[in-house]
């Protein structure tokens, strides 16, 4: 499993298997599943403050709301 983080100025990215799953820019925290709704992706995203990803009936939920894995702003 390859997890990389990158920082340029005040911007930060977290990548899993080459796909960005978290991006901090201009005070906004943007997350997505990077195209893979895997156990590892869910585990990494759940490591962030105010992020709770769970799966039920093969669908993902972000903080209790159905989520398709696309970019979502989460307040820190």
């Amino acid at each position: 499993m390859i997890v990389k983080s990158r920082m340029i100025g005040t911007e930060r990215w977290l990548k899993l298997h080459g796909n960005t799953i978290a991006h901090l820019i201009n005070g906004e925290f943007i997350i997505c599943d990077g195209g893979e709704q895997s156990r590892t992706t869910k585990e990494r995203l759940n490591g962030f403050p105010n992020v709770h990803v769970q799966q039920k009936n093969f669908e993902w939920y972000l903080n209790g709301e159905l989520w398709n894995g696309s970019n979502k702003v989460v307040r820190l």
Side-chain angles (χ1 to χ4, degrees), residues 9 11 22 25 31-32 38 45 53 62 74:
E11 289 188 53
I25 180 172
I31 64 166
C32 72
S38 68
L45 290 173
V53 179
L62 173 61
V74 176

Side-chain angles (χ1 to χ4, degrees), residues 14-29:
L14 179 68
K15 293 185 175 242
L16 178 63
H17 301 296
N19 300 310
T20 299
I21 63 169
H23 185 193
L24 179 63
I25 180 172
N26 297 328
E28 289 191 329
F29 185 55

Side-chain angles (χ1 to χ4, degrees), residues 13-71:
W13 294 266
L14 179 68
K15 293 185 175 242
L16 178 63
H17 301 296
N19 300 310
T20 299
I21 63 169
H23 185 193
L24 179 63
I25 180 172
N26 297 328
E28 289 191 329
F29 185 55
I30 303 165
I31 64 166
C32 72
D33 67 7
E36 292 191 38
Q37 291 192 345
S38 68
R39 185 180 305 178
T40 303
T41 302
K42 185 170 40 175
E43 179 181 292
R44 297 300 179 266
L45 290 173
N46 281 330
F48 293 107
N50 301 327
V51 174
H52 178 69
V53 179
Q54 64 185 41
Q55 181 178 336
K56 182 178 179 184
N57 297 325
F58 304 101
E59 294 186 303
W60 274 29
Y61 291 81
L62 173 61
N63 297 334
E65 295 182 22
L66 187 61
W67 181 49
N68 65 3
S70 63
N71 288 350

